[in-house]
Amino acid sequence: MGSHVSQPDFHRVIAIDGPAASGKSSVARELARRLGFIYVNSGAIYRAITWHILQEGIDAEDSDRVTRALQSMAITCCIQDSESRILVNDVDPAGHLRDDGVNESVSRVSRFPPIRQIVAQKLHECARTHDLVVEGRDIGSVVFPETPYKFYVDASPEVRLRRRAAQGERDEITMRDHADFSRSVSPLVIAEDAHVIDTSYLTIEEVVQEIIARLKEIGLRI
Ligand code: CDP
């Protein structure tokens, strides 16, 4: 036996990574519903932390103040109606997670290593008690590298811009993508063993079908 230890204390985790507006959320939520797994949106945790930092009037570029704010922030991740729910100091910021300010600052806040560590820790806690479908940027590559169930969902930049605009949001996804791909800690990468799906011309149902077929192929009992 080597020193390599898999993570037996984790339930099953399906990782869905990909860039902004690639269709991750709809696919991950529907997949979780079909499988009876819990749906976890890791981006929502970064967004909740960002929202709180902005509420405190802290500049998202100020790493010292952001780190200090983090120390006095109680972040609770619980499960309700088969989905994760996040509270910051007992406040649920769900209605603010897609505010313009949060869209603008979330990729800056999420590059700070202490923030990434906290989010990974919260995700690990959830995986100790439930089977999860987790969507994000580094779920297969960094947070749950041991899971065999990894997917990278992509779409062309034009399609992604169109999808986000159709949601009526002001969201500079090109800027966010650039920050996510180029940051030094846990950048958005395609995990070596991830199954890549280009969703540009697929419906959500088709993507979910493809993922389920692949999961069966690699032996997930469903
Ligand atoms: O849904 P959308 O693609 O707009 O993004 P999101 O999943 O809500 O994530 C918002 C931002 O959080 C991303 O642009 C990343 O900067 C950050 N994020 C991250 O760094 N790592 C993750 N696992 C998830 C999100």
Side-chain angles (χ1 to χ4, degrees), residues 17-22 24-25 41-44 46-47 98 106-108 110 116 135-139 164 171 173 176 180 183 186:
D17 289 302
S22 55
K24 292 183 309 284
S25 300
N41 180 348
S42 65
Y46 288 100
R47 286 174 180 276
R98 308 205 73 96
V106 62
S107 290
R108 280 195 290 254
S110 59
R116 304 208 69 80
E135 66 151 299
R137 300 290 189 288
D138 61 343
I139 306 305
R164 193 50 39 105
D171 187 4
I173 64 173
R176 231 153 29 84
D180 292 344
R183 68 172 167 242
S186 320

Side-chain angles (χ1 to χ4, degrees), residues 116 137-138 141-142 179-189:
R116 304 208 69 80
R137 300 290 189 288
D138 61 343
S141 55
V142 174
D180 292 344
F181 279 117
S182 62
R183 68 172 167 242
S184 54
V185 182
S186 320
L188 174 58
V189 291

Side-chain angles (χ1 to χ4, degrees), residues 42-60:
S42 65
I45 313 178
Y46 288 100
R47 286 174 180 276
I49 294 172
T50 304
W51 172 79
H52 181 76
I53 282 168
L54 297 176
Q55 286 289 107
E56 298 283 292
I58 296 169
D59 176 357

